[in-house]
Amino acid sequence: MALVLHSWKTNKNAYKALIAAEYSGVKVHLAENFEFGVTDKTPEFLKMNPIGKVPVLETPDGPIFESNAIARYVTKLKADNPLFGSSLIDYGHIEQWIDFASMEIDNNIGQWYYPRLGYRPYLPPAEEAAIAALKKALGALNLHLTSNTYLVGHSVTLADIIMTCNLFTGFSNVMTKSFTSEFPHVERYFWTLINQPNFSKIFGEVKQAESVPPVAGKKPAQPKEAAKPKAKEEPKKEAKKEEKPKEPEPTAEEEAPKPKPKNPLDLLPPSPMVLDDWKRLYSNTKSNFREVAIKGFWDMYDPEGYSLWFCDYKYNDENTVSFVTLNKVGGFLQRMDLARKYAFGKMLIIGSEPPYKVRGLWLFRGQEIPKFIMDECYDMELYEWTKVDINDEVQKERVSQMIEDHEPFEGEALLDAKCFK
């Protein structure tokens, strides 16, 4: 039985396996007449992958889904394949860069690109966070490529194949020349690999995006010159209107939708603490932080209108890779965007070596963690939450240290500190 890859032809996730097959001398055939949105909904396809993900590789021993796993399988079919490097440390580094390509590059490109197409909700703060995270990742990649032609060793490996396929979505759709020029070594790397024979055979011609696509559903404003002159036709239009029988008045339900119920937090008594004033003070304080910002916080803090909470990640033992841990916290903060009007947060990633501890401090409007946040942000369940007793001087000092990113924190170095404001 031949290896059959079920996917549409231009799927960059399918490209990973097809390019790996070219380098490995393995025959992989694309399934005939595959139609995305149709074929992947059939009982036959769902039997191979119950959640309908594309691509799926059909093998003599059964189906495989998830594009990186498929690419690994194809590569493993050739004994001692140089795509896996020449040593154990090479293999470790290859796996490292495969994870980086997926979590730091592909994930953030997707958070930028797909909401603009309407596939996900478009939230400007989330887009800004994704672009910032992508720039950080590209900066790290650019630094590595300053003295390396390939990610690992002196020839193409599976890490290069997966990295290039993931970069392809960005280069061809949202990462314009003005964006990528900040990362010249990434540019050189991408175009070098895209033009390798085994890559170009699969990709064909690749062109860089000339502009970022507009957000789906937003209509561009029409220029004034395009408006039709009203000239002498107005009397005729009025006459036509008078000839039409008057339509019945709409009922109250038809005139306008019922107003959305107010957030319960908006119905709380006014608080003397203005959250935006605190956020502005935090952002603008560049020196004497303890004397200015921390003192200002406690002067502003209203214990009746707001509450403070410590959070501690429940599964810190799993935080063994630094960039994965940072990405996990970054994703949590993105999903907390719905709480921006009612919250301020600090998340500390603690430790100079794994496993890293993730601990946070949050200021919420009201005396409890708002229910709509608990319901909408699944990450909340991954943390233990403890209300701060500000009458306890030890807890109060801990709050101050977390706000100012005090280091060492509880005797340990900070890997990073992230702010939600």
Side-chain angles (χ1 to χ4, degrees):
M1 175 183 173
L3 298 176
V4 179
L5 188 63
H6 295 264
S7 173
W8 66 96
K9 292 181 180 179
T10 57
N11 181 1
K12 61 93 176 173
N13 284 327
Y15 288 168
K16 298 173 185 178
L18 295 173
I19 296 169
E22 292 294 328
Y23 274 97
S24 306
V26 174
K27 295 294 183 182
V28 175
H29 303 285
L30 276 173
E32 295 181 2
N33 303 319
F34 184 94
E35 185 178 351
F36 182 61
V38 177
T39 307
D40 48 308
K41 307 297 183 185
T42 62
E44 294 79 13
F45 188 90
L46 293 175
K47 187 176 180 180
M48 294 190 292
N49 183 357
I51 59 175
K53 274 194 172 184
V54 181
V56 170
L57 182 69
E58 195 174 356
T59 81
D61 301 311
I64 302 171
F65 56 85
E66 296 295 346
S67 61
N68 291 351
I70 294 170
R72 288 185 177 100
Y73 174 86
V74 170
T75 303
K76 280 282 188 181
L77 290 174
K78 179 181 179 181
D80 300 321
N81 196 328
L83 289 182
F84 277 130
S86 58
S87 65
L88 184 58
I89 190 63
D90 279 356
Y91 175 77
H93 286 154
I94 289 165
E95 290 294 327
Q96 162 192 290
W97 285 111
I98 288 174
D99 284 350
F100 183 91
S102 300
M103 298 175 184
E104 302 297 329
I105 301 296
D106 193 42
N107 179 53
N108 288 310
I109 289 173
Q111 294 284 356
W112 180 8
Y113 179 47
Y114 296 122
R116 286 184 164 266
L117 299 184
Y119 297 152
R120 302 175 187 172
Y122 177 76
L123 299 170
E127 179 180 82
E128 290 176 13
I131 293 172
L134 177 60
K135 284 187 172 182
K136 184 176 181 180
L138 291 172
L141 179 59
N142 192 71
L143 180 62
H144 178 73
L145 294 171
T146 301
S147 54
N148 294 278
T149 303
Y150 303 101
L151 291 176
V152 182
H154 303 290
S155 61
V156 171
T157 65
L158 187 59
D160 296 302
I161 294 172
I162 291 173
M163 179 69 78
T164 303
C165 290
N166 289 347
L167 285 170
F168 167 73
T169 300
F171 269 89
S172 59
N173 294 288
V174 288
M175 290 164 45
T176 61
K177 177 64 179 175
S178 61
F179 179 89
T180 59
S181 59
E182 186 180 340
F183 313 102
H185 300 292
V186 175
E187 286 185 323
R188 181 262 306 160
Y189 169 80
F190 177 76
W191 293 113
T192 296
L193 285 167
I194 279 292
N195 289 294
Q196 295 293 311
N198 287 334
F199 282 80
S200 60
K201 180 177 179 180
I202 302 302
F203 278 106
E205 184 181 8
V206 176
K207 292 182 178 180
Q208 188 162 6
E210 295 182 356
S211 62
V212 178
V215 178
K218 284 193 175 183
K219 296 181 179 179
Q222 294 294 325
K224 291 182 179 179
E225 292 76 11
K228 293 182 179 179
K230 294 185 178 178
K232 298 176 182 178
E233 296 178 1
E234 285 192 35
K236 292 182 180 179
K237 289 183 179 177
E238 291 298 326
K240 286 183 179 178
K241 283 185 180 179
E242 290 175 3
E243 290 170 9
K244 288 183 178 180
K246 190 175 181 182
E247 295 182 2
E249 291 292 328
T251 63
E253 287 82 0
E254 292 171 333
E255 285 180 356
K258 292 181 180 179
K260 292 182 180 179
K262 283 191 173 183
N263 189 305
L265 299 183
D266 294 327
L267 303 177
L268 293 175
S271 169
M273 182 178 192
V274 179
L275 191 57
D276 285 343
D277 288 350
W278 156 242
K279 291 179 179 181
R280 195 174 299 112
L281 176 64
Y282 174 89
S283 299
N284 293 337
T285 303
K286 306 302 179 185
S287 60
N288 299 321
F289 196 88
R290 170 71 70 147
E291 293 77 10
V292 178
I294 299 300
K295 182 179 183 303
F297 174 79
W298 291 117
D299 289 344
M300 293 180 185
Y301 181 62
D302 169 26
E304 294 183 2
Y306 286 84
S307 56
L308 287 162
W309 296 79
F310 294 128
C311 66
D312 192 358
Y313 191 65
K314 295 178 181 179
Y315 311 104
N316 282 319
D317 288 346
E318 298 177 0
N319 297 331
T320 57
V321 181
S322 60
F323 71 82
V324 174
T325 306
L326 294 171
N327 191 62
K328 184 187 300 180
V329 175
F332 172 41
L333 296 184
Q334 286 182 29
R335 288 180 284 276
M336 283 290 285
D337 188 70
L338 75 169
R340 197 168 297 276
K341 181 180 175 182
Y342 310 99
F344 170 86
K346 289 300 297 284
M347 297 296 294
L348 306 184
I349 300 89
I350 304 163
S352 54
E353 57 184 31
Y356 304 101
K357 301 181 183 72
V358 177
R359 293 187 174 132
L361 168 74
W362 287 84
L363 171 72
F364 290 120
R365 184 77 166 96
Q367 291 303 304
E368 301 296 333
I369 299 174
K371 185 177 183 301
F372 78 95
I373 300 174
M374 296 293 288
D375 291 344
E376 296 295 329
C377 185
Y378 69 83
D379 303 66
M380 299 290 284
E381 297 181 357
L382 304 178
Y383 292 83
E384 294 285 355
W385 294 87
T386 307
K387 195 171 187 178
V388 176
D389 179 3
I390 62 169
N391 295 314
D392 183 332
E393 290 300 322
V394 174
Q395 291 189 44
K396 190 173 179 180
E397 174 59 21
R398 189 171 190 255
V399 169
S400 298
Q401 290 189 10
M402 296 185 84
I403 293 175
E404 68 175 332
D405 305 338
H406 186 277
E407 190 172 17
F409 180 75
E410 298 181 340
E412 295 188 80
L414 292 182
L415 176 65
D416 198 4
K418 296 181 181 291
C419 181
F420 176 91
K421 63 183 191 303

